[in-house]
Amino acid sequence: MRISAFLYRTLLVTLLVLLPIGNSKAQSADVGLASPFDFPLLLSANFAELRSNHFHAGVDFKTQGVVGKPIKCVADGYVCRARVQAGGYGLALYVMHDSLMTVYGHLDRFPDAIAKRVREYQYSNECFAVDLDFQPGEFPVKRGKFLAYAGNTGYSFGPHLHFEVRDSSGQRAFNPLAYYIADIVDSIPPRATSVAVYPRLGKGIVSGDVHSKTFRIKGTAVPDTVEAWGSVAFGISALDYMDGTANKYGIYRIELLVDGKLRFKVQMDDFSFDEYALIKACVDRGRDVNGEGTYQRLFVASNNPFKNYVSDYTRGWVTIDEERFYDVECRLIDYHGNKSIYKIPLRGRRGDIPESLKPQLRWSRVNLLTNGTMLLRIPAFEMFENMHIAVTTEPGGCRLDGHYSVTGDSVIFWHGAELSFKADTLLPESKMCISKVVGNDTVWAGGKYSEGRVHTTISSLGHYIVSADTVPPVIKPVNEKNWVRNGEVIFKLSDKGSMVSSYRGTLDGKFVLFKYNSMNRRLVLNLREENILPGVYELEVTVTDAYGNESIFRKTLKINK
């Protein structure tokens, strides 16, 4: 018997959701890892925290507020990869062990032998970004011995060590607290501030309305009775806390019970990087975008194969079909077993449920929308739910407004949808792009001209227009009069249209290594690290954006003895 692709995927998703959470925590903890530092461990972030577009893949160890703390390797192995990025993890090392890989991000410095290899690559390829793989015998490391120096490079908000534990393929991340639970002091349970209740379109209402509602928590319960009828689901805004720090963390385990029966559970022991972006289906993006706080959904979207979500056949949706009180309870548990229980008083109140419009777009198939000028192609399985959408033509573009079958949600795609517009003949073809209108501003959304149209990939719906990037980047010297005294030549880069795409610095026409941090947009030449001898040099810095617009800064640089 042949099974259609849709049916096969549906069966697979169902099995993944219904499977119990495995024992990856117990399996991974058997290996045993040493502490990366010789001082008490404190976290500034824990595993699987909810970030803007991904789950946090590791833990962040504090480094006592400074860069340069020596890091010890947590187990025998070898450095298999060294990476240098302007953003992301900045300077990072990947270490292969017998059955696991560990990752160390936002480093300040590599060990000398690796730094030498990285530097050779940078100068031979005249670039800053590096991604090098190493063989087992090149850079062996020992448990408890020096590995690198902790720092604040890449997309980092302060000195810390981003630390990950992965499987040997590097494609699955494990919760590092499985190894360090005895090293982290935590006697504080998680705390929730509010809950959200979602009516299913055409099948439920909350407080007599088809729109979702939020309810503040006081103490251990919602003080007001929630009235609902039909099919509803829940979300919660909550954070975890630990001893000895004011930081706030993600929740390890959440359980939803209705009338004593478990209806939904999520437990963050591990996840694969294929599931990395499924956070988009796991939070109420609409409320997040509107500044109302982060609400974690306690139900499973139709197209959400995240294996850490466990529910019965209802996928977390609760049927309210009796005029009585329902016992709704939400349990929050951290990795140390500290628990908080919150009660949601919910009473069934019969009411008329308006019929919903038939979905124009279905998540299980390819969807095409056009108005003659605009063409939107949403690949199958890119939406998390069936969707209603409205297309409004606007000057130079269009407005794409929609919502899922859960009202009030913001439409965001798993990987992306393909948007194109008929090209504006008044704009230069090589500079044409698409921008998203956000309030009174526009944000570059990418795009290239091809065969009479401008094409890009968008991550969410909104108001998009055709535009052009003809403005070159800005190269702004920082503290120029103290460059030689401080031993650093510093610029701040910006680009009004697209983004900085490439940069290159020379002294007397010869490449010299400038380091770039995309978070603070600083381009820095360390005169001492690059061993620039006293003399007079012609400095030139060239910066180019994504559409070939170029700016050049030139200056005579005199370096004294």
Side-chain angles (χ1 to χ4, degrees):
M1 180 179 67
R2 299 185 65 182
I3 300 177
S4 69
F6 167 66
L7 180 57
Y8 175 81
R9 183 180 175 94
T10 303
L11 290 171
L12 178 61
V13 168
T14 303
L15 287 171
L16 287 173
V17 170
L18 293 179
L19 281 173
I21 291 176
N23 60 348
S24 59
K25 172 181 171 181
Q27 290 174 342
S28 59
D30 290 342
V31 178
L33 299 177
S35 172
F37 294 111
D38 58 5
F39 49 82
L41 298 181
L42 287 174
L43 299 184
S44 57
N46 66 348
F47 181 72
E49 281 185 357
L50 307 177
R51 300 296 169 87
S52 61
N53 59 2
H54 65 276
F55 295 104
H56 191 226
V59 296
D60 291 345
F61 288 118
K62 293 191 175 190
T63 57
Q64 300 180 328
V66 299
V67 301
K69 289 287 186 180
I71 300 167
K72 297 185 292 185
C73 195
V74 299
D76 292 352
Y78 68 95
V79 177
C80 62
R81 183 184 186 192
R83 195 171 188 190
V84 178
Q85 296 173 280
Y89 294 167
L91 273 65
L93 290 179
Y94 297 68
V95 178
M96 185 67 72
H97 311 284
D98 286 340
S99 58
L100 294 174
M101 176 188 294
T102 53
V103 181
Y104 307 77
H106 306 302
L107 303 176
D108 184 57
R109 285 173 287 159
F110 293 135
D112 291 344
I114 293 177
K116 182 175 182 293
R117 286 283 295 276
V118 167
R119 183 181 178 83
E120 289 171 352
Y121 180 91
Q122 290 172 321
Y123 270 89
S124 63
N125 291 275
E126 297 191 356
C127 66
F128 170 61
V130 174
D131 194 354
L132 292 176
D133 293 325
F134 304 123
Q135 297 304 310
E138 292 186 85
F139 299 109
V141 292
K142 300 294 291 183
R143 175 188 174 96
K145 299 300 183 181
F146 170 76
L147 176 67
Y149 295 97
N152 189 31
T153 56
Y155 199 78
S156 171
F157 290 89
H160 71 279
L161 168 65
H162 175 83
F163 177 77
E164 296 179 16
V165 179
R166 303 184 183 184
D167 66 3
S168 58
S169 73
Q171 297 306 304
R172 176 166 292 277
F174 298 107
N175 193 333
L177 284 184
Y179 309 92
Y180 298 107
I181 188 169
D183 299 291
I184 303 293
V185 179
D186 183 5
S187 62
I188 306 173
R191 294 198 293 267
T193 55
S194 57
V195 298
V197 185
Y198 302 88
R200 207 165 197 167
L201 271 186
K203 296 184 178 181
I205 52 175
V206 175
S207 300
D209 196 353
V210 296
H211 299 287
S212 62
K213 309 290 182 184
T214 59
F215 301 87
R216 300 294 295 179
I217 290 173
K218 290 186 178 179
T220 60
V222 172
D224 302 318
T225 298
V226 179
E227 294 185 342
W229 191 253
S231 183
V232 300
F234 299 87
I236 192 160
S237 179
L239 292 167
D240 193 16
Y241 302 83
M242 293 184 185
D243 299 73
T245 174
N247 292 85
K248 301 172 184 179
Y249 308 92
I251 310 298
Y252 168 63
R253 185 164 84 240
I254 304 177
E255 299 173 351
L256 178 73
L257 291 85
V258 179
D259 291 340
K261 180 181 178 181
L262 182 69
R263 303 299 294 271
F264 174 89
K265 175 182 175 181
V266 57
Q267 181 169 310
M268 300 306 291
D269 286 311
D270 64 302
F271 61 81
S272 75
F273 286 97
D274 288 340
E275 302 169 311
Y276 202 48
L278 280 175
I279 189 173
K280 298 174 183 179
C282 298
V283 300
D284 184 336
R285 188 59 64 188
R287 286 194 161 82
D288 204 16
V289 169
N290 292 333
E292 300 177 46
T294 300
Y295 286 80
Q296 188 162 350
R297 289 171 154 185
L298 307 184
F299 59 98
V300 186
S302 298
N303 179 35
N304 184 2
F306 192 39
K307 79 167 193 64
N308 292 31
Y309 271 11
V310 176
S311 73
D312 58 15
Y313 67 95
T314 65
R315 305 178 72 86
W317 288 95
V318 179
T319 299
I320 309 299
D321 57 2
E322 298 179 57
E323 292 192 303
R324 64 173 177 87
F325 274 96
Y326 290 75
D327 181 16
V328 181
E329 179 179 293
C330 186
R331 298 176 180 175
L332 310 177
I333 303 106
D334 67 22
Y335 203 87
H336 286 71
N338 302 302
K339 180 189 297 186
S340 296
I341 299 176
Y342 294 94
K343 296 285 188 177
I344 306 170
L346 188 145
R347 180 172 59 190
R349 170 78 67 164
R350 189 181 302 274
D352 294 330
I353 301 174
E355 291 186 8
S356 66
L357 298 173
K358 292 182 179 180
Q360 293 175 273
L361 309 178
R362 297 190 178 277
W363 62 265
S364 59
R365 69 187 185 198
V366 175
N367 295 274
L368 295 174
L369 286 171
T370 183
N371 65 353
T373 299
M374 176 277 302
L375 175 63
L376 177 66
R377 181 184 183 275
I378 307 173
F381 308 111
E382 276 301 317
M383 299 185 301
F384 298 110
E385 298 277 6
N386 293 336
M387 182 171 68
H388 303 275
I389 190 168
V391 179
T392 306
T393 301
E394 299 281 345
C398 70
R399 188 185 298 273
L400 305 166
D401 295 315
H403 55 78
Y404 293 129
S405 57
V406 180
T407 57
D409 206 359
S410 177
V411 174
I412 192 164
F413 303 111
W414 187 347
H415 305 98
E418 302 157 21
L419 176 65
S420 72
F421 286 98
K422 187 179 294 185
D424 187 334
T425 56
L426 298 178
L427 299 176
E429 293 179 356
S430 64
K431 309 292 184 181
M432 271 192 231
C433 59
I434 295 175
S435 297
K436 186 175 185 179
V437 180
V438 180
N440 296 321
D441 201 1
T442 58
V443 179
W444 178 66
K448 290 291 183 182
Y449 173 86
S450 175
E451 298 179 349
R453 301 189 69 84
V454 189
H455 305 259
T456 194
T457 299
I458 60 173
S459 60
S460 62
L461 295 185
H463 182 189
Y464 291 91
I465 60 173
V466 177
S467 58
D469 182 0
T470 60
V471 180
V474 174
I475 307 174
K476 181 180 178 180
V478 177
N479 201 16
E480 185 175 356
K481 64 181 181 180
N482 292 319
W483 280 355
V484 176
R485 180 191 305 169
N486 295 336
E488 286 187 326
V489 176
I490 304 174
F491 298 96
K492 186 166 186 177
L493 308 184
S494 61
D495 189 70
K496 185 178 181 181
S498 52
M499 63 178 183
V500 171
S501 177
S502 64
Y503 39 86
R504 187 175 189 273
T506 62
L507 289 177
D508 290 345
K510 295 181 179 179
F511 172 82
V512 65
L513 180 64
F514 274 84
K515 300 177 181 179
Y516 185 55
N517 187 302
S518 60
M519 186 172 177
N520 60 22
R521 295 177 292 165
R522 295 288 181 99
L523 187 66
V524 180
L525 167 63
N526 189 307
L527 298 173
R528 298 183 182 93
E529 280 187 9
E530 301 313 308
N531 196 28
I532 307 301
L533 300 175
V536 179
Y537 300 88
E538 292 302 316
L539 170 68
E540 182 173 294
V541 174
T542 304
V543 179
T544 308
D545 69 15
Y547 291 89
N549 302 302
E550 183 180 270
S551 292
I552 301 176
F553 176 94
R554 295 184 178 94
K555 178 182 175 64
T556 299
L557 189 65
K558 184 178 180 180
I559 300 177
N560 302 317
K561 293 182 180 180

